[in-house]
Amino acid sequence: MGIRIGVLAPSATEVDISGDNLTESGGAVSAIQDQGPIGNDLYQTSGASQPSYTAANAAYNDQPTFSLADDYMFFTYPMRVFYETGFNLWFVGNVTTGQRMDMLGGSAISGDNRSMGWFEDLGYVRYQNDVYSSGGDVLLVDSALDTAAVYCMRVTNGSSGTVTLYRDGVVLDNRNKSSYSAQGGVAFRCFGTFIGIVRSEGTIAAFKVVNEDSSLADLNAQGAVYGTKYNFTQTTIT
């Protein structure tokens, strides 16, 4: 594992990956190159746990995607999420119908069992400090996560802030921050997870985390970029 020294500046982008920048062989993805300023690349050396690659996915405007089917990858560095001061998580993709995607996970090493799960089967998104507990922010999204789209989870600054989930700019749900949720920030070790009681199944065209309470203008600008590239009409976030 590499060592990260100093602070993240001037960009708040923590990680920025897509199907455009990865290493694959025979349709199996062994590495994904982070296009953000940190260079927090993902890797998986075990062939049995490598995501599958699609060079031109019709559901995403014939752009390249990768898919998880109980697969996972490691970040080079722990991937930080600044829960207290706000962040935006962008996910262009979909969760497999009737399944779930523990999109961000710990490593199950030294009790590191935190998880951010997208539950299509149950109809919510949840952050958990420990996957063996029930604590976290629950967003009741009416099982809409199997729709191929541009998703954005926006967490605003402060203890009285909110968590909002958008699909193509339309609000799926909005909640106050949960008392169970992480204070300050947390770090995830995996994209997907290999903790035995959870699983990750779905397709990813792009994934990005920005550690700031972004303006509406910035949110709409990023949504427009993804919408144009993957051919999803975006509603203006207001």
Side-chain angles (χ1 to χ4, degrees):
M1 179 188 299
I3 298 174
R4 180 163 40 185
I5 299 174
V7 296
L8 178 60
S11 174
T13 300
E14 178 72 11
V15 68
D16 184 2
I17 62 173
S18 71
D20 295 302
N21 300 282
L22 52 75
T23 302
E24 61 89 16
S25 178
V29 178
S30 59
I32 302 176
Q33 291 76 43
D34 175 24
Q35 300 305 294
I38 296 173
N40 195 0
D41 299 341
L42 284 77
Y43 64 92
Q44 176 54 270
T45 58
S46 173
S49 298
Q50 290 176 345
S52 59
Y53 174 68
T54 300
N57 191 325
Y60 294 92
N61 201 28
D62 289 328
Q63 296 294 325
T65 61
F66 61 97
S67 298
L68 304 178
D70 294 333
D71 305 307
Y72 62 94
M73 303 190 80
F74 291 104
F75 289 103
T76 300
Y77 314 108
M79 201 284 293
R80 305 169 300 175
V81 171
F82 294 171
Y83 188 87
E84 184 174 358
T85 55
F87 71 91
N88 311 306
L89 184 154
W90 293 90
F91 166 48
V92 184
N94 66 281
V95 183
T96 302
T97 301
Q99 302 297 325
R100 61 188 62 175
M101 182 187 294
D102 272 86
M103 188 177 297
L104 297 171
S107 63
I109 298 171
S110 301
D112 181 11
N113 296 323
R114 65 181 57 92
S115 173
M116 183 180 290
W118 294 55
F119 293 72
E120 202 287 320
D121 56 342
L122 300 177
Y124 59 72
V125 177
R126 180 173 66 192
Y127 167 79
Q128 292 175 285
N129 288 305
D130 188 324
V131 298
Y132 301 101
S133 69
S134 60
D137 284 278
V138 176
L139 299 174
L140 302 178
V141 295
D142 195 24
S143 296
L145 300 174
D146 59 348
T147 301
V150 178
Y151 294 90
C152 176
M153 175 186 284
R154 182 191 188 197
V155 178
T156 60
N157 184 27
S159 59
S160 60
T162 58
V163 182
T164 306
L165 185 65
Y166 301 90
R167 184 181 67 217
D168 292 332
V170 177
V171 175
L172 294 178
D173 200 6
N174 175 269
R175 300 291 179 97
N176 293 327
K177 286 182 179 178
S178 168
S179 59
Y180 288 102
S181 300
Q183 300 302 308
V186 298
F188 296 98
R189 186 70 178 88
C190 302
F191 189 91
T193 182
F194 65 97
I195 299 172
I197 65 172
V198 291
R199 59 188 185 273
S200 296
E201 298 194 23
T203 297
I204 302 95
F207 175 81
K208 184 175 185 179
V209 172
V210 181
N211 276 317
E212 67 178 13
D213 187 352
S214 298
S215 67
L216 294 179
D218 286 345
L219 291 176
N220 285 308
Q222 180 63 76
V225 170
Y226 283 143
T228 298
K229 180 174 181 178
Y230 298 105
N231 196 30
F232 295 118
T233 300
Q234 301 297 293
T235 296
T236 300
I237 297 173
T238 59

